[in-house]
Amino acid sequence: MATDSIFFGNLVPSSLATRGRVEKQWLQHFSVKTKPMYPRLSNGYRARAALGANLKAVEIPRQWYNLIADLPVKPPPYLHPKTLEPIKPEDLSALFPDELIKQEASTEKFIDIPDEVLDVYSLWRPTPLIRAKRLEKLLDTPARIYYKYEGNSPAGSHKPNTAIPQVWYNAQQGIKNVVTETGAGQWGSSLAFACSLFGLGCEVWQVRASYDQKPYRRLMMQTWGAKVHPSPSNITEAGRKILQMDPSSPGSLGIAISEAVEVAATNADTKYCLGSVLNHVLLHQTVIGEECLKQMEAIGETPDLIIGCTGGGSNFAGLSFPFIREKLNGKINPIIRAVEPTACPSLTRGVYAYDYGDTAGMTPLMKMHTLGHDFIPDPIHAGGLRYHGMAPLMSHIYELGYMEAIAIPQTECFQGAIQFARSEGLIPAPEPTHAIAATIREALRCRETGESKVILTAMCGHGHFDLPSYDKYLQGNMVDLSFSEEKIQASLANVPQVLA
Amino acid sequence: MATDSIFFGNLVPSSLATRGRVEKQWLQHFSVKTKPMYPRLSNGYRARAALGANLKAVEIPRQWYNLIADLPVKPPPYLHPKTLEPIKPEDLSALFPDELIKQEASTEKFIDIPDEVLDVYSLWRPTPLIRAKRLEKLLDTPARIYYKYEGNSPAGSHKPNTAIPQVWYNAQQGIKNVVTETGAGQWGSSLAFACSLFGLGCEVWQVRASYDQKPYRRLMMQTWGAKVHPSPSNITEAGRKILQMDPSSPGSLGIAISEAVEVAATNADTKYCLGSVLNHVLLHQTVIGEECLKQMEAIGETPDLIIGCTGGGSNFAGLSFPFIREKLNGKINPIIRAVEPTACPSLTRGVYAYDYGDTAGMTPLMKMHTLGHDFIPDPIHAGGLRYHGMAPLMSHIYELGYMEAIAIPQTECFQGAIQFARSEGLIPAPEPTHAIAATIREALRCRETGESKVILTAMCGHGHFDLPSYDKYLQGNMVDLSFSEEKIQASLANVPQVLA
């Protein structure tokens, strides 16, 4: 499956099976400054309960948290797809600005959030932490359910938490344009929003099928001034090649990535942005968990269980990493539970191996839980969870045993979403319905056992543009797509054999 | 135009021209309890500036403010469409629960917000008051622009501020179902949201054209469990009558009101809810202005100019009435400016006269600025501003000289909305684009004069379901609909001649 790599050169070895163990510490390549420590929480939360505390008075965190700094075992390096050596900063500079490359391999514990980024965050942050009292009542559960809601951002999800700093660092380096790919459009619209605020040009390659079928997200991007191209497009070599073979190609995320990366790699004033998976993206999302830590402390609650949905992993990492720090410090001991769709179960059914981040094999090799880079998930409604792999850092801490994972089929997710919408009022995006369904499972278990567990869950976005999915569910036309063992075995057979 | 009135009986006088002056004080019909006074702000705001104040720490107001209590001249009564006498509480009881009828004619200054309503408000309140720094910079203006954003409510606008208490008071009285009409769907979805939280049945008659063309709002209502009927429907006498004449009728708001009112009037366990115009609706919306007063005080700013869009008037009243109180008390002296569409200019081009609230003439007669109850506005994109009349209380204070009004065409509004979206990040609904366009006019005037006026404006909802309108504007296909003098004269000729 290894094909020409546009930004790493075009000489990828035809066989990857002979690669020896990677010993080199890739992090040493990157020079980083020491930053002041973030003030630690001194104790558990219940001891410092402040009843009647005004959660909205909690301030926006001023630093992102880098979990890598606290890990006893550091994550494996990314490998250059041509040399199979750990990548160096300069290998990434065609795609990303220097500051983001530094953050990608930083071992600093806390990284200051630039003032300009904080200023934009303040448009919608701090985000609400809400006790789901009406849902608890509906379920007749003794559990106390809290959800952290990220849907009030202008783009409607947690994605702007990273889009804003990514665009800002690009602007600081004098970059004029950024490019990306998008499927349903959550990420593309977040990047368009960020570019409009900082005056950068923004071009988005949107998978043709979504471009035609989901016009609202596209219109949102255009309202913010972005150019949106259906992918495959005639603008790039990669797109033209696909169109020559199939003029009516519906496109795929893999093709869209290829197009965006090609444009970034061949234009000096243009860089590429990715909405999940990479370390610096997960880093930026920790603003969610840092804020939530303070909010939980302010009301005197300690989570017994933290639940979030996982596609690429950035939403889940954003909420959970700061709590994992507290867990590593022995202050709290929540269970950390990732929820993925049964149709795309990279953690629960995939392998932990080096694989490409994209379908065409143009990105670095990353050690991650993967279903195989050419695995095409069934068309479930949670488009944001249809990714063949899991963020390398998430995969690493899963291997270390710091979190667990389960998979839930989509009809159970939408059933839970209807219960949530009709009791709490907010209509979730299809992605967080997975976290909601898992939360409901646990709350019902508490009803049986009588335990009053504190459950904290990630409501990472609203479903305003996903209402046709709700319609399908309410009409009784939604089905659970069966997961084929043959399909995954065929796909896993194409994972490169890197002995790392 | 006076036809059978379903809930007031079917003997409407054929001529209304002989009616004498109404002297009776209608307010005396209603018994009200005395409530504790709301603590007054002791001084102007600048004197009490608290720099760096955390706006989000401001608490949700615990009382609504009733401007009628402070008016030196009380508003004229509503008239019974049959007797032309001021209406009595019992005349309204087929449609509304007792507590809302009391509020409709209350002379109390402050009315306690029930705890259960406050609890639901806390899902999204306090709403943000945001300084539009990036817009100021874009316009290069010395003005300081603040906007109060109501789009974070689960239904996406300010409408739930009144939907929640309306449904709660109905629930308290043992009512099982509520009905309403809706055009584009902002109000219907807010009522569906409220009903889902309090367990009431909800039926919405949606104008057929909108039902077909704007599926997302309908799907939102259905997700919250409401029944949505295209209007005209076969369910009601009124609907069947229309369908007999024209089986393919696209419907109108007037027809939809007739259908909803018929169902409420003929079912003992069902009441009717209205989303604007009436006093109790305006009352509930004052939570916006009360909150904003405290937020402005917290940051030490005094508004020189308050701008909001006006259709029925509830959003504008909600923001401005508490500030008008402070103005009447001599504490501040802002200009209060209402902005309406040039295609439906009830304040700037209408007459101040008794007229029906609906097209078919089934409601009480209300003295208000009106274009005539059978005026059909051109199909502008701001569906929420397409109402032939203005709230009676708004019309009254306009007559008293406490506020001013202007009209702006829709292309200027969308031009402003694009500037706003690309600098501030939030995409406004078509209605508040009118307030934004007027704000931009004023900010540009300040650039000429060098004045650093403080402008406060109402951003009453997001435009997530209105993106096709943005598309039309961006494609250059939006036009300003010309306002016909003949059309308004024809319509005004049908306003009943009540000498009140």
Side-chain angles (χ1 to χ4, degrees), chain B residues 415-472:
Chain B
Q415 183 186 24
I418 291 287
Q419 289 180 298
F420 186 87
R422 292 184 183 175
S423 57
E424 291 299 308
L426 297 165
I427 299 175
E431 292 79 7
T433 64
H434 291 74
I436 289 165
T439 298
I440 290 173
R441 275 190 189 181
E442 193 67 29
L444 294 176
R445 199 172 292 139
C446 285
R447 185 170 70 185
E448 298 307 312
T449 64
E451 291 169 284
S452 47
K453 281 188 187 170
V454 176
I455 307 173
L456 171 62
T457 191
M459 232 295 257
C460 59
H462 65 61
H464 294 175
F465 302 109
D466 306 287
L467 288 164
S469 306
Y470 280 87
D471 191 36
K472 198 168 177 184

Side-chain angles (χ1 to χ4, degrees), chain A residues 369-413:
Chain A
H369 280 266
T370 180
L371 298 164
H373 60 276
D374 61 358
F375 178 82
I376 307 290
D378 284 325
I380 56 170
H381 293 277
L385 307 185
R386 292 181 68 240
Y387 184 62
H388 70 272
M390 182 52 58
L393 186 51
M394 287 273 294
S395 300
H396 180 63
I397 64 163
Y398 183 57
E399 287 297 305
L400 293 178
Y402 297 151
M403 53 174 277
E404 58 185 47
I406 62 172
I408 299 186
Q410 68 178 352
T411 56
E412 181 181 341
C413 295

Side-chain angles (χ1 to χ4, degrees), chain A residues 54 56-57 119 123 125 133-134 196-197 216 219 222-224 421-425 462 464-465 467 471, chain B residues 54 56-57 119 123 125 133-134 196-197 216 219 222-224 421-425 464-465 467 471:
Chain A
N54 185 344
K56 287 168 174 139
D119 189 54
L123 268 176
R125 306 208 71 87
K133 284 178 287 187
R134 282 172 289 272
S196 75
L197 299 195
Y216 278 62
L219 293 175
Q222 289 169 335
T223 296
W224 278 315
R422 292 184 183 176
S423 58
E424 291 300 307
H462 65 61
H464 294 176
F465 302 109
L467 287 164
D471 192 35
Chain B
N54 185 344
K56 288 171 175 138
D119 188 55
L123 268 177
R125 306 208 72 88
K133 283 178 287 188
R134 281 172 289 272
S196 75
L197 298 195
Y216 278 62
L219 294 176
Q222 291 169 334
T223 296
W224 277 316
R422 292 184 183 175
S423 57
E424 291 299 308
H464 294 175
F465 302 109
L467 288 164
D471 191 36

Side-chain angles (χ1 to χ4, degrees), chain A residues 7 14 66 81 88 127-128 135 142 252 260 286 300 306 315 317 330 341 372 456 458 467:
Chain A
F7 65 94
S14 57
N66 181 14
K88 300 182 188 68
T127 60
L135 179 63
S252 74
T286 60
I306 297 173
N315 152 64
L456 170 62
L467 287 164

